[in-house]
Amino acid sequence: MVYEHSDATAETAPLALKILVAGGFGVGKTTMVGAVSEIKPLRTEELLSEAGQSVDDTEGVDHKVTTTVAMDFGRITIRSGLSLYLFGTPGQDRFWFLWDELSQGALGAVVLADTRRLEDCFPAVDYFEHRHIPFVVAVNCFTGSRNYGAQDVSRALDLDGGTPVVLCDARDRASGKEVLIRLVEYAGRVHTARLLDSVG
């Protein structure tokens, strides 16, 4: 039996977008994916070991006892017909070979930042800038950390003009969802502008 494909069906077909959640070690990537995901998130966490003590900088995150060794995965529906597939990247340098695989087909990325260790997100910012992947910087406001405004963080990271910086709480679902909405809106504008440039 053959079913005809109508335009109405095409207009209402569900859309799934791939989003990366990146940043330094211990910044809250696993926490954010878990907080916003409407399904039980897939986690690939392992206990920190003595072997990794010489390469994992745990200063400022002394309480951290596990680390992501491959990726985190979750899903959130932003609105009817639009879902985001979230891929949390590992934070340590030795796992960065996975980033190229994870970034294939991504609409954009969230770079989580901790103002107590702001330099830890420089590699992620550089990675996405050099590959022309749209991203937003989401400052995870940890208890007890000094508060900085979005403009202060943007200047400190020397971001390209227009790159959004938002404040968030990675533990809070509503806060994480707002970050993702900002990213989708921003990435949509960037991709539309590139498309218009290519045909112009």
Side-chain angles (χ1 to χ4, degrees), residues 11-58:
E11 290 174 6
T12 59
L15 179 63
L17 303 174
K18 182 179 183 181
I19 302 295
L20 300 185
V21 180
F25 179 64
V27 77
K29 300 180 295 295
T30 298
T31 300
M32 182 177 189
V33 171
V36 301
S37 181
E38 62 198 15
I39 62 172
K40 183 177 180 181
L42 167 68
R43 292 182 171 147
T44 59
E45 288 194 307
E46 294 292 338
L47 290 172
L48 291 173
S49 65
E50 289 184 17
Q53 287 180 351
S54 61
V55 290
D56 293 333
D57 179 11
T58 58

Side-chain angles (χ1 to χ4, degrees), residues 27-28 32 110-113 137-142 165-172 174-179:
V27 77
M32 182 177 189
V110 173
V111 175
L112 271 176
V137 173
V139 179
N140 193 5
C141 299
F142 286 90
V165 176
V166 294
L167 307 181
C168 74
D169 182 344
R171 303 165 299 180
D172 182 74
S175 180
K177 187 174 180 179
E178 283 301 313
V179 170

Side-chain angles (χ1 to χ4, degrees), residues 17 19 82 84 107 180-189:
L17 303 174
I19 302 295
L82 176 60
L84 305 183
L107 174 77
L180 295 171
I181 290 171
R182 284 287 301 274
L183 171 62
V184 171
E185 291 172 346
Y186 174 64
R189 291 194 300 270

